[in-house]
Amino acid sequence: MLELMGLLLIFMIIAAIVAIETRDLLAAVISVTAVGFGSVIAFFYMRAPDVAIVPIVVEVLILVILIRATLRVGLKTFVGNRDFFGMMVTIAMLLVIFLAGIRVFNDLPAFGEPVMAKMMDAPSRIYLANGLNDTGAANIVTAVLLDYRAYDTLGEATVLFTSIIGAIAIIRKKARKKPSEPEVEEWTV
Amino acid sequence: MHYALCLALFLVGLYGVMVKRNLIKIVISLVILESAVNMFIIMIGYRKDGIAPIMSKMMDPEVFASRSVDPIPQALVLTAIVIGLGVTAMTVALAMRLYEKYGTYDIKEIRNLKG
Amino acid sequence: MQIIPLFVAIPLGAAFFIPMVGRKNPRLSDTLANITTLALFLMALSVIGKATQVYWMGGWVPRLGIPVGINLVLDGVSIFMLVTITLISFLVTIYSIHYMDKFTSKARFYSLFLLMVAGMNGVALTGDLFNLYVFLEITSIASYALVAFGGQHEELEASFKYVVLGCVASTLVLLGIAITYAMTGSLNMAQVSTIIGGNFKPIHLFTMALFISGFGLKAALVPFHAWLPDAHPSAPAPISAMLSGVVIKTIGIYALVRVMLNVFGMTPLTSYILLVLGTISMVVGVLLCMGQDDIKRFLAYSSISQIGYIVLGFGLGTRLGIAAALFHLINHAVFKSLLFLNSGAVEYATGTRDFSKLGGLKDKMPVTTTTAVIGSMSIAGVPPLSGFWSKLFIIVACVQAERYGFAAWAAGVSVLTLAAYLRMLKRTFYGQPGEAQPAAREVPMSMKLSMVALAALCVVMGMLWMPHAQRTFLIPAARVLQEGLTYASSVLGM
């Protein structure tokens, strides 16, 4: 089981590297979706069925959006990164973060032993013990999402609203006008 | 070990953001970054041989509480995924508008502003 | 009736409502947006001096001292931030009435604007780490879209850069929050701080590093500043004023300081990191700003430098240092918004922001010139304007904390700032008339009104240091931050 998680993660890392390094944009888009679906499987394994369902939808949406962006007549493919020196600095920096990360992650509770098992006053314990009585939801994740922490969910809906209004504002065909001019709404895409 | 792999995935995404020239590749790297963090959050809540945090009639509440995985991270990830989708949609809209203006996704050719 | 949740609910409701009713009628959206921001400002004024209040969303009060729900905390610092945010947003909405006539879809502009305000109010109020992240994202996404609002090449490009770095910053913050959760099992800031309580392990340092780089990116501290000189000038002027005036301070500095001082507790190491980051930003910002030829880019670099002063003050960790930093924060919000609004007025009247085409505007635009002179002198620290007092107190606090080197840097940068601003004034308003001068006219009423109001504030703001104002406004805010970990007991009531 734990080994399987490790393999899945390695698969996701490989898919991510392919997505970033491949020349073909369409292949890159498909590989990044493979990363997403890798995490779907991992979520199922880690007993998070609610969370596993959402990325299926989200990944498909991202796939559609990204493919729409790559379908361009005469899209030039080009390879190459920013300058070589900068790349070396970046890699060195990331390596430092990685080594520091491995060192300090020893302080984290081991994988498979969540912190709520040891921490007597973790809110999760209250949710698990009283969730059904408090909210009437048998699914504790739903209880947390829609009742105990409903304010986050309101924020999440607001984020979606903001990004939709924002995207509509961005794809306006004509953004500037003379002060006296009446406006016409037209969108590109 | 597992956390280190997750960190590696995160850094792959960060590498893509910092090094790539293609706007779509940068968006892809951002998506990878988000998946890595979401993965990490779910891993925090996992309990070995645990059960999903869904009560059933047959189950004794105390056994349930001692065996279930942590529900908070799952709720957080559900929120974070949707937020990530919103940001991605907007970034792609921007990238497509940029393509329209410049006829390319190459960041080196899109350089009116200096650092 | 509880007032605390209304700070988020009112702008949120207005943001949903305005695009529905205001699409066909721009004047209606102007009215609604101005009423909303005015109401918020009055609400913020009404809570000044109140004792700490905690509001548990959805009525989920703590059980046996364990927080189950999300809480909003209205304490000294939150009140301080709310007043700053709502004051600037109110004056900026007045300015937008005429300025935004040059753009299409005004209703969506106001909607995004109010979402940004709602997000910032949420950041200032929330007592929960993940909720902080959610509000951070609302603010950021709204500001990404607003930077691109003009729809031209540079604007889209600047916005893309901003989105990418902003996204990286948000993920770093989220990773930091996840590690914090993994260590403590809680997301409530008060509870987390009782569990960590100043007892530092290497992993907490790693988490701090994530928070510093994440919030540092949002605040554009110097190694992380690359996006700011593009994003702030590209936005429409009211948004530049908001971004430089309050957004970087709320989602960058306030969030960082709150997490650092109230949740993790200040250690000598983190204090030193803040001092060094602040000084570097201060010096690099002012040096880069001296070579700029675009008035808005000039102001943007100068923001980096002034942010440095604020971080320096917080880094001292003393009561005086924190109070001076907060004082400079609100002063900078006022004069930097004023200067960006001035630059917007110049662009509105002449169509250019380039120093080489400007010059000699003082006879054509007297109001803009006078207010710009007041703002510039204030930011440069000329007595008796507000900027002088806050810089003075930051330097005094440095000396009092026996950080003489940092005090010297702060004083030196202040002189450079004065030189840079004199050059800017000369090339824009005085000096030889440039090619854009003949067509220039003074800007419409609403724009003048908000510039004059901000200039007046620059003059009177020094009064905040008077004993009475200090006791009711500045000191309660500074005390919350300085007493660090006692935050937990005041929130959880233990």
Side-chain angles (χ1 to χ4, degrees), chain C residues 222 225 279-293 297-298 300-306 309 409 412-421 423:
Chain C
V222 148
H225 68 286
T279 311
I280 296 176
S281 306
M282 210 160 72
V283 176
V284 174
V286 79
L287 290 179
L288 287 173
C289 104
M290 297 187 92
Q292 297 303 317
D293 283 327
R297 282 182 82 82
F298 169 87
Y301 276 112
S302 149
S303 286
I304 298 176
S305 170
Q306 301 299 314
Y309 273 100
W409 280 111
V413 168
S414 178
V415 175
L416 290 178
T417 311
L418 180 61
Y421 272 89
R423 170 174 167 272

Side-chain angles (χ1 to χ4, degrees), chain C residues 136-200:
Chain C
L136 193 79
E137 282 294 79
I138 296 175
T139 316
S140 311
I141 294 176
S143 59
Y144 304 150
L146 285 169
V147 167
F149 204 77
Q152 273 162 352
H153 291 67
E154 290 85 22
E155 281 133 13
L156 294 168
E157 192 187 331
S159 173
F160 192 83
K161 209 171 179 183
Y162 183 24
V163 173
V164 170
L165 288 176
C167 252
V168 171
S170 307
T171 11
L172 289 173
V173 169
L174 184 57
L175 188 63
I177 292 169
I179 295 177
T180 312
Y181 180 81
M183 294 303 294
T184 61
S186 176
L187 290 163
N188 188 285
M189 292 188 196
Q191 200 188 5
V192 169
S193 85
T194 53
I195 296 171
I196 294 176
N199 127 51
F200 252 59

Side-chain angles (χ1 to χ4, degrees), chain C residues 222-439:
Chain C
V222 148
F224 314 111
H225 68 286
W227 59 272
L228 185 140
D230 291 336
H232 286 194
S234 298
I239 298 306
S240 313
M242 282 300 279
L243 288 176
S244 261
V246 286
V247 173
I248 50 174
K249 300 199 186 81
T250 314
I251 68 175
I253 293 179
Y254 165 79
L256 176 64
V257 169
R258 182 66 112 180
V259 168
M260 246 181 165
L261 270 60
N262 285 150
V263 179
F264 284 84
M266 186 86 118
T267 65
L269 179 65
T270 48
S271 150
Y272 197 72
I273 292 175
L274 283 187
L275 286 173
V276 171
L277 278 178
T279 311
I280 296 176
S281 306
M282 210 160 72
V283 176
V284 174
V286 79
L287 290 179
L288 287 173
C289 104
M290 297 187 92
Q292 297 303 317
D293 283 327
D294 175 327
I295 178 167
K296 281 175 100 180
R297 282 182 82 82
F298 169 87
L299 294 173
Y301 276 112
S302 149
S303 286
I304 298 176
S305 170
Q306 301 299 314
I307 286 292
Y309 273 100
I310 299 172
V311 172
L312 177 69
F314 281 124
L316 291 171
T318 57
R319 172 85 53 99
L320 182 63
I322 293 172
L326 287 168
F327 190 31
H328 195 59
L329 190 151
I330 192 167
N331 283 341
H332 182 249
V334 169
F335 46 62
K336 190 46 69 66
S337 332
L338 169 60
L339 289 165
F340 265 115
L341 296 185
N342 288 144
S343 75
V346 169
E347 195 185 4
Y348 187 91
T350 64
T352 181
R353 311 193 303 234
D354 200 334
F355 283 155
S356 61
K357 295 185 187 140
L358 293 167
L361 292 175
K362 70 173 190 305
D363 297 327
K364 300 268 179 151
M365 307 175 71
V367 177
T368 310
T369 310
T370 320
T371 50
V373 169
I374 294 174
S376 306
M377 291 303 107
S378 187
I379 198 172
V382 173
L385 297 166
S386 59
F388 167 72
W389 299 107
S390 49
K391 283 188 185 179
L392 178 71
F393 287 116
I394 287 178
I395 295 170
V396 170
C398 284
V399 172
Q400 190 203 40
E402 298 182 352
R403 303 275 191 187
Y404 301 111
F406 292 110
W409 280 111
V413 168
S414 178
V415 175
L416 290 178
T417 311
L418 180 61
Y421 272 89
L422 285 177
R423 170 174 167 272
M424 186 277 280
L425 287 176
K426 179 163 169 290
R427 299 198 61 180
T428 316
F429 299 105
Y430 296 92
Q432 289 298 317
E435 62 184 77
Q437 192 254 5

Side-chain angles (χ1 to χ4, degrees), chain A residues 9-26:
Chain A
L9 276 166
I10 291 170
F11 165 75
M12 285 168 73
I13 293 172
I14 294 171
I17 294 174
V18 170
I20 288 176
E21 288 302 335
T22 177
R23 268 181 98 131
D24 186 11
L25 272 189
L26 205 55

Side-chain angles (χ1 to χ4, degrees), chain A residues 97 100-101 103-109 115-116 119-124 126-127 130 134-135 147-152 154-159 161-163 165-170 172 174-181 183-185 187, chain C residues 8 12 15-16 19 23 57 60 63 66-70 72 101-106 108 111-112 115 128 130-131 134-135 137-138 141-142 145 148-152 155-156 179 181-187 191 195 201-203 206 348:
Chain A
I97 301 177
R103 239 184 76 78
V104 299
F105 277 7
N106 289 333
D107 291 352
L108 282 178
V115 62
M116 64 162 186
M119 208 57 87
M120 283 334 265
D121 44 8
S124 295
I126 296 189
Y127 297 158
N130 304 333
D134 280 353
T135 67
D147 220 326
Y148 293 112
R149 298 186 64 91
Y151 202 45
D152 279 346
L154 172 73
E156 166 197 329
T158 311
V159 168
F161 177 74
T162 314
S163 60
I165 294 261
I168 294 176
I170 288 169
R172 281 175 305 162
K174 194 159 177 284
R176 286 168 191 259
K177 63 180 181 80
K178 296 222 174 63
S180 51
E181 211 177 316
E183 57 176 280
V184 227
E185 293 211 316
W187 287 283
Chain C
V8 181
L12 208 59
F16 287 121
R23 287 250 316 268
M57 292 308 298
W60 292 109
R63 287 192 196 151
I66 306 172
V68 273
I70 292 174
L72 299 181
D101 279 345
K102 281 197 166 180
F103 295 79
T104 60
S105 352
K106 213 175 182 184
R108 288 200 192 89
S111 176
L112 287 168
L115 285 165
D128 185 279
F130 190 75
N131 200 237
V134 173
F135 281 120
E137 282 294 79
I138 296 175
I141 294 176
F149 204 77
Q152 273 162 352
E155 281 133 13
L156 294 168
I179 295 177
Y181 180 81
M183 294 303 294
T184 61
S186 176
L187 290 163
Q191 200 188 5
I195 296 171
K201 287 188 193 156
I203 189 140
F206 188 74
Y348 187 91

Side-chain angles (χ1 to χ4, degrees), chain A residues 43-71:
Chain A
F43 292 161
F44 267 120
Y45 266 109
M46 288 189 286
R47 304 293 182 267
D50 308 85
V51 190
I53 292 163
V54 174
I56 297 179
V57 182
V58 170
E59 286 304 323
V60 170
L61 280 176
I62 289 181
L63 186 70
V64 171
I65 297 171
L66 282 173
I67 286 183
R68 176 65 190 83
T70 52
L71 290 181

